[in-house]
Amino acid sequence: MRPWVIALALLSGCGPIQYIKQVPYDAADKVERARSLDAEKYSPYWWTRAVVYLHMAREVAGHADYQGANHFGRLSSEAAEKAAEESAAAASDPSKRPVNPTQELAPAKDDGSTAPGSSSATGGGVAPAKE
């Protein structure tokens, strides 16, 4: 077997080579695709996860821990794929959009009762800390 084939085979498993393939190309491209589908709006959980893991992969690679960087890159890719799927589904079907909890809260009812420990329940003063 030729020596350059063996060298190429050994280099293909090298950490920095795998990092270059995994993080800047694969994970970053998937995060960018999710961004183009408005994942920040339609899939905030998976979007945040993808962005944070991508940042962590780059930070860990800066410390020359390419195995850890590749791990975070894979997690970022998976989260970005899920964010893109949810965003595409939410864009096409409004019923699949995330619910904004502040829009669904009903105003508090004023039924005349007071909460325990409030001023009218304790005779007009502040409720004692201990009895």
Side-chain angles (χ1 to χ4, degrees):
M1 190 173 251
R2 300 198 181 235
W4 63 271
V5 174
I6 294 171
L8 183 64
L10 290 174
L11 285 177
S12 67
C14 187
I17 303 297
Q18 289 295 328
Y19 167 79
I20 296 293
K21 178 183 174 241
Q22 179 69 36
V23 177
Y25 291 118
D26 188 43
D29 287 347
K30 288 179 181 175
V31 168
E32 190 56 40
R33 179 175 177 268
R35 181 190 322 269
S36 70
L37 293 171
D38 290 329
E40 188 174 2
K41 178 180 178 183
Y42 294 127
S43 182
Y45 173 77
W46 291 110
W47 165 253
T48 303
R49 185 177 168 130
V51 170
V52 168
Y53 278 140
L54 181 60
H55 175 75
M56 197 65 196
R58 291 175 173 159
E59 183 177 327
V60 169
H63 295 284
D65 180 8
Y66 295 107
Q67 184 176 4
N70 290 336
H71 175 72
F72 285 121
R74 281 190 299 274
L75 292 174
S76 176
S77 292
E78 293 168 6
E81 286 175 357
K82 290 183 181 185
E85 288 173 14
E86 280 188 5
S87 297
S92 64
D93 185 7
S95 68
K96 294 184 180 180
R97 292 184 180 163
V99 177
N100 185 350
T102 59
Q103 291 177 346
E104 292 203 2
L105 294 177
K109 294 181 181 179
D110 186 18
D111 60 1
S113 66
T114 58
S118 66
S119 60
S120 63
T122 59
V126 177
K130 282 190 170 178
E131 301 237 358

